[in-house]
Amino acid sequence: MPRYGVHAMVWVGAWSHAEAERAIACAARAGYDLLEIPLLDPDKIDLAHTRTLLELHNIKAAVSLGLPAEADVSSVDLVEVRRGSAILAKALHATTALGGDYLGGVIYSALKKYSRCASPAGRANAVAVIRDLAREARLANIDIGLEAVNRYETNLLNTGAQTLRFIDEVGEANVFVHLDTFHMNIEEADCVGVIELCAERLGYFHVNENHRGYLGSGSIAFSPSFRALRRIGYDRTIAFEAFSSSVAGEALGAMVAAWRDVWSDSNDIAEHALAFMRREFADALRSESLVSLGERQRVG
Ligand code: LER
Ligand code: MN
């Protein structure tokens, strides 16, 4: 069975003690196995405090981030690349300190709208940084996830196929593809096909509506993707992600262009999402069993 996660920005836009307490307690109360903590400022997070809360509420942590423009590991400017590696080293330290086993997101470039294509030299820098990060992470049993995001948030990895090629170049066994239905909906020609293509290397799956609101209230057809996850025997993390301007606040709102107040009741949307994802996964099992029963009957 997969583990179900939720992004902390469903509750909070920063990570003070009070915000950590709220996000961790609410995610656990809603029934999630894991809380994805965005590492907004690695120097400001009180790791011991967060770890104590995670243990108290019996919930795992994953760490995610998008690199800032001035710390872009896919740059040809080595000062920027070094700044990016330093942030990733801190993020890896934070993941270990929180007892997490997953560090991912847009960690292979900046999370920003680029005005030109990625250069071969910049891409090679990103591959080298992720390789070094993965080697360090392996020592702590941490998996690294590269999230394919849409064209307005990176110029390097917009699709699952591009991410697989990049991972081949990195050549480390603990680097995985991280897919997100919001980004797949914009960039993939075939959302089912990409899940099947990435099967062996799929390490994390974000479930998101096209408007980042309540699952099922937008235009994304989730059932085919859940059936594909079942077919490939996916048993890693399925995490709900949603952003709304009133909850995410200015800084994060700007990063992911959450300009509208799409929803406002954090506990309600989180509970709704967990029930939705569990139902989709259970229905996917039923429909896959019906397909294989039909196949057996045709053959017999
Ligand atoms: C951003 O669009 C997103 O989907 C986040 O998961 C990025 O880390
Ligand atoms: Mn995402």
Side-chain angles (χ1 to χ4, degrees):
M1 287 301 278
R3 54 182 188 179
Y4 289 99
V6 60
H7 198 282
M9 291 289 167
V10 168
W11 288 278
V12 296
W15 204 252
S16 64
H17 281 188
E19 285 161 320
E21 277 157 30
R22 178 164 143 73
I24 292 169
C26 290
R29 201 176 320 119
Y32 284 94
D33 308 307
L34 174 140
L35 181 67
E36 182 178 327
I37 301 176
L39 206 67
L40 298 172
D41 187 341
D43 293 323
K44 289 223 177 103
I45 176 168
D46 181 343
L47 295 167
H49 174 260
T50 297
R51 171 110 188 207
T52 303
L53 289 169
L54 291 165
E55 285 170 358
L56 183 69
H57 291 280
N58 193 23
I59 188 167
K60 283 286 278 185
V63 170
S64 67
L65 73 144
L67 287 170
E70 69 282 2
D72 182 353
V73 296
S74 72
S75 171
V76 288
D77 176 343
L78 292 182
V79 174
E80 280 183 27
V81 174
R82 275 196 286 274
R83 272 193 215 120
S85 320
I87 292 177
L88 294 177
K90 286 181 187 173
L92 184 58
H93 168 71
T95 312
T96 313
L98 296 178
D101 57 13
Y102 185 82
L103 166 62
V106 186
I107 58 175
Y108 51 82
S109 78
L111 195 169
K112 69 169 194 185
K113 183 175 181 301
Y114 284 81
S115 53
R116 54 170 62 98
C117 287
S119 69
R123 180 193 173 88
N125 288 340
V127 167
V129 167
I130 296 297
R131 186 182 296 129
D132 287 347
L133 178 71
R135 287 179 180 167
E136 282 297 313
R138 194 178 48 216
L139 302 175
N141 282 325
I142 291 171
D143 290 336
I144 298 298
L146 307 181
E147 183 173 5
V149 296
N150 74 76
R151 64 191 66 194
Y152 306 108
E153 295 182 23
T154 186
N155 60 356
L156 200 56
L157 304 180
N158 298 137
T159 67
Q162 286 180 309
T163 310
L164 275 180
R165 279 199 296 280
F166 187 94
I167 288 174
D168 275 348
E169 285 172 48
V170 170
E172 295 295 323
N174 60 334
V175 184
F176 291 88
V177 180
H178 171 157
L179 291 176
D180 177 325
T181 55
F182 171 84
H183 302 291
M184 292 157 71
N185 181 56
I186 298 171
E187 300 293 350
E188 301 288 353
D190 176 1
C191 292
V192 166
V194 71
I195 292 171
E196 289 169 344
L197 179 75
C198 295
E200 301 295 312
R201 277 290 177 157
L202 189 59
Y204 206 88
F205 195 81
H206 268 163
V207 181
N208 247 308
E209 254 303 355
N210 67 298
H211 49 42
R212 309 270 208 183
Y214 276 77
L215 298 180
S217 72
S219 63
I220 293 188
F222 290 100
S223 302
S225 291
F226 275 87
R227 284 203 294 273
L229 290 175
R230 270 285 187 195
R231 259 194 317 281
I232 66 165
Y234 184 73
D235 62 358
R236 288 169 172 269
T237 304
I238 298 181
F240 173 55
E241 195 171 59
F243 299 112
S244 194
S245 59
S246 62
V247 177
E250 280 274 304
L252 192 96
M255 260 172 96
V256 294
W259 308 124
R260 288 182 298 129
D261 201 16
V262 182
W263 48 269
S264 55
D265 187 334
S266 305
N267 290 328
D268 189 59
I269 196 171
E271 283 163 22
H272 174 274
L274 183 56
F276 184 99
M277 295 187 292
R278 283 191 170 139
R279 197 170 52 245
E280 285 287 340
F281 207 67
D283 288 353
L285 177 63
R286 262 193 297 280
S287 59
E288 285 305 302
S289 314
L290 286 176
V291 170
S292 54
L293 178 66
E295 277 163 3
R296 272 205 306 280
Q297 282 172 344
R298 260 200 314 282
V299 171

